[in-house]
Amino acid sequence: MENRSNLQSELLQALPYGVALIQKDGTIVQANRPFMEQFPENLQTKSNLFHMVNQSPITMELSRRMEQGLPWMYELPTMRVHAIPWEEGYILSIEPLPLDTRVTIQHNAFEAMMHTELDMAMIMTDANLLITRFNQGATELFGYAPHEVLYEMTPFALFESRELSEKRTNYQDEMERLLSFEQMLRVALDKGDREWKFQRKDRTHFVGKLFMHPVYEQEQLVGFFFFVFDVSSEIQLKGELQHKEQRYRMFAESVIEAVLFHENGMILDANKAAETIFRIPADEMVGRQTIEFIAEGYRADVLRRIRNHIQTPYEVIGRREDGTFLEMEVYPKEVTYQGQTLRVAVMRDISDRKKIERMLEREKNAIARQRDIIQSILQASNEAFVLTESNGSVLFMNVHARRLMDLPGIAPNKIQERIPLLSTFRPRDRSEMLKKMDILLDGTAREVSMRFSIPQPNDRDEQYYEMYGTSMDTKRQIGMDSGYLFVFRNRTEEERMDQIKNELVSTVSHELRTPLSSLSGYIELMLNRELTPDKRERFLKTMSKEAKRLTDLLNDFLDIQRMEDGHQEYKRNHFSLNELVREVVERFRETGDHSIHFDDAEKPLFLIADRARIEQVLVNLISNAIKYSPNSHEVEVRIRHERNQAHVSIKDYGIGIPEHAFEQLFQKFYRVDNSDTRQIGGTGLGLSICKEIIESHGGSIEVESTVGEGSTFTFTLDIAEETP
Ligand code: ADP
């Protein structure tokens, strides 16, 4: 046994190729060096060939064959393997084959690939297309263990059979000849038809990308390499992406907004609308900076937004390729695509919208301004204004209207509901007003008006109004579509003037008639009678007085007329006030029955004024004092000097003036309305002429009075230097 085993051992070592004696379970009994060198792992005697970490398809196939106890031979492109049953085990020889460089390279590459963890099926066949190698990737992809396919199946068994036959039919038709599956595959792959449907062991299908390489050895076809990798998920993804891309394109091209894709500001893609908006072909935008399409002053801000990943929309001034500008609204959005952060900027040209907005804004401001102006005019106006909607609801009331139509508590908003509640109005006026409003509101009339008056608690000063209502449907400038404008004009003053004028007519005719009838009476007497010289003189004096009354009266009329028209001219002279007053007092002393006291100032006072006009004031005031004190004979005239002013006062002990009349006393035609005054007679012009003259000289005139006790009129003027 010893010798035999030695012999065996030496024999083994002598052989130029690898030989080993192995037991059926794969345990190496003896092996020579070339054999050991065939295996990448550090194989030792007693190691088990079938327990190697990297089980090759060959060793796996070997173990299967050995179980059956049959001899087996297998050829690889680089070696031939023989397994010959021997005693309890096998003699295994690995005989290297002469090398074909091309095949070796391919083979080595294949081997290298077989051992890398590529997610791909690698299948090798012999020339008859019988599978000879089947890698881990193939097992994973197809679900077959290597021993199920090696030397049992051709790769065609791995294809989905229906598609395979259909494609063969198609290619046969195309080539106009019969094709074997192998030929058909070559034709198909030549044409780039790489995607095929495959079938797994569990009969499920997947789409794989196929590569097929024939392997030649010394010009002889020895087999094929097949590579298959699953692309179904990829295809699905591609389909989805294509779909999405299409959708995106369609969307991007159909929107009127410019859509720019950019990475850190560099444009990657732009749509059709971007061409229109920025006036540059989209492909010319690619590669340029987004901020080139932003007006210079705004670039820093846009860059800041890009750098800080700000995604809030903003408005900015854009710059077109031709250098013109536009207003845009930008909606930025960041998207992460394959680990890369991109920014999509959707930009809308809002120049037109902005223009319209600005126009509207201007229009709005103009309307608001107009409305403000109108409202302030309405507020400032003396009239009461009420604006209502077409149903009568109040839109606006100015202060006067509020005062006029004030109601305690919550007032109804409609004017026609408010009117009946106004207790200050007379019932008769209220019902007439409602009737007028009704015919206006129901469209029967476009304008209504009426006069009414509101009695006051003190029984005097009754307030007179004129109501005027008009439809506003064409008066859009007020800022309302339709409605009504009601104006309540306070015409109390007018009414008073009317009354005064009416009185004036009777006063004046009375005032004129009295001296005229007395004059004509005396003239008749003198014509028809023989008169004594005494009588004659008395009559003539009276006639002269009456004529003077007439002249004064007419002069007063003319004066007030001139003053009102602004034609009155004053001549300014330097004169002594004391002398003037003394002169006038003297004259009254000569003609009248009243005793006139004159209390002069302590020192001479001078004025620069129209002497004749100041004299007129003095005459008016002294004649009033005499006229309105029928039961007293005292009149006091006094000059006082205070600071730079002279105060001249005329005091009487006559009928006096009620306090309520003080305010109107100096108005033209105003006369205190009582029996005494009526009896005394007058035009109501004197005091208004006095006031006009004094105020024109920069002075003032005042009254103090008590009814039944007397009155004091005082005027004040600035004094001048003693010498002009
Ligand atoms: P006339 O005397 O012609 O009526 P005036 O303008 O001089 O007009 O006076 C206006 C009114 O003022 C008079 O009608 C009278 O009622 C009142 N009045 C003026 N002076 C006096 C006075 N000294 N005493 C009482 N009432 C006076």
Side-chain angles (χ1 to χ4, degrees), residues 198-402:
F198 293 92
Q199 181 170 306
R200 297 190 187 90
K201 186 185 172 187
D202 63 9
R203 313 192 78 71
T204 58
H205 298 147
F206 69 91
V207 178
K209 208 167 219 172
L210 173 70
F211 295 88
M212 183 176 110
H213 289 288
V215 180
Y216 291 93
E217 201 172 295
Q218 291 167 337
E219 309 297 320
Q220 275 273 284
L221 180 77
V222 292
F224 294 94
F225 294 147
F226 285 89
F227 304 93
V228 179
F229 47 92
D230 187 353
V231 290
S232 20
S233 55
E234 201 176 300
I235 282 172
Q236 199 185 342
L237 196 73
K238 214 167 94 187
E240 273 172 25
L241 278 180
Q242 250 172 9
H243 192 56
K244 268 191 191 148
E245 155 114 5
Q246 243 168 23
R247 262 206 331 236
Y248 156 68
R249 269 283 144 201
M250 262 168 57
F251 173 70
E253 298 305 343
S254 65
V255 293
I256 52 161
E257 283 92 3
V259 182
L260 298 185
F261 269 98
H262 63 93
E263 187 185 2
N264 289 326
M266 196 188 77
I267 299 171
L268 302 174
D269 201 359
N271 72 340
K272 272 264 177 294
E275 294 190 344
T276 325
I277 289 180
F278 295 109
R279 299 180 184 162
I280 173 175
D283 53 355
E284 285 179 31
M285 293 182 89
V286 173
R288 293 181 52 181
Q289 292 294 317
T290 30
I291 53 155
E292 290 179 46
F293 299 95
I294 299 291
E296 220 159 314
Y298 296 83
R299 290 182 182 167
D301 178 56
V302 173
L303 277 178
R304 180 186 61 83
R305 287 170 184 277
I306 295 174
R307 283 203 198 103
N308 298 332
H309 309 282
I310 298 172
Q311 301 194 46
T312 42
Y314 60 98
E315 287 181 9
V316 75
I317 305 294
R319 185 183 182 279
R320 298 196 185 92
E321 187 62 1
D322 60 14
T324 57
F325 298 100
L326 74 154
E327 280 164 289
M328 330 189 278
E329 200 165 47
V330 183
Y331 302 87
K333 183 97 198 137
E334 292 206 338
V335 288
T336 306
Y337 177 68
Q338 294 187 338
Q340 191 185 18
T341 301
L342 300 178
R343 230 169 132 85
V344 189
V346 176
M347 300 162 149
R348 180 185 298 164
D349 182 350
I350 53 167
S351 308
D352 286 347
R353 200 189 75 194
K354 279 276 150 182
K355 239 179 265 164
I356 292 169
E357 268 177 16
R358 269 195 298 270
M359 225 167 66
L360 285 178
E361 187 62 26
R362 268 201 303 270
E363 196 77 352
K364 213 178 80 191
N365 287 344
I367 289 173
R369 223 177 12 250
Q370 216 172 352
R371 199 193 44 221
D372 289 350
I373 290 171
I374 288 170
Q375 292 211 345
S376 42
I377 290 172
L378 295 183
Q379 285 294 13
S381 166
N382 268 328
E383 270 87 51
F385 282 104
V386 182
L387 287 179
T388 75
E389 285 180 63
S390 48
N391 63 0
S393 297
V394 173
L395 286 172
F396 173 80
M397 264 188 173
N398 69 350
V399 265
H400 295 288
R402 262 174 232 290

Side-chain angles (χ1 to χ4, degrees), residues 142 144 153-169 181 184-185 195-208 210 228:
F142 291 99
Y144 292 102
M153 284 163 64
T154 69
F156 297 111
L158 300 171
F159 284 75
E160 196 266 325
S161 53
R162 195 136 57 101
E163 187 196 63
L164 195 65
S165 357
E166 272 173 18
K167 280 201 177 185
R168 183 161 72 162
T169 316
F181 280 126
M184 184 270 288
L185 266 192
E195 275 168 18
W196 294 76
K197 224 185 236 179
F198 293 92
Q199 181 170 306
R200 297 190 187 90
K201 186 185 172 187
D202 63 9
R203 313 192 78 71
T204 58
H205 298 147
F206 69 91
V207 178
L210 173 70
V228 179

Side-chain angles (χ1 to χ4, degrees), residues 620-621 624-625 627-628 652 655-657 665 667 670-672 677 681-688 711 713:
N620 266 336
L621 293 179
N624 275 354
K627 194 162 81 171
Y628 294 105
D652 66 62
I655 60 171
I657 302 162
L665 209 59
Q667 285 172 8
Y670 179 82
R671 303 199 73 222
V672 174
T677 319
T683 57
L685 289 173
L687 284 182
S688 62
S711 315
F713 285 83

Side-chain angles (χ1 to χ4, degrees), residues 126-185:
D126 57 19
N128 301 319
L129 285 155
L130 199 63
I131 295 172
T132 56
R133 298 200 66 168
F134 201 74
N135 78 339
Q136 184 63 27
T139 299
E140 277 167 18
L141 197 55
F142 291 99
Y144 292 102
H147 69 267
E148 291 175 288
V149 292
L150 288 180
Y151 306 100
E152 299 272 316
M153 284 163 64
T154 69
F156 297 111
L158 300 171
F159 284 75
E160 196 266 325
S161 53
R162 195 136 57 101
E163 187 196 63
L164 195 65
S165 357
E166 272 173 18
K167 280 201 177 185
R168 183 161 72 162
T169 316
N170 292 346
Y171 282 114
Q172 278 176 346
D173 290 352
E174 205 180 308
M175 307 302 287
E176 295 175 344
R177 64 184 165 98
L178 291 178
L179 297 169
S180 69
F181 280 126
E182 179 219 316
Q183 287 167 326
M184 184 270 288
L185 266 192

Side-chain angles (χ1 to χ4, degrees), residues 55-66:
Q55 279 290 355
S56 79
I58 300 174
T59 54
M60 285 161 61
E61 186 54 22
L62 183 64
S63 80
R64 202 163 65 88
R65 300 282 166 149
M66 286 194 337

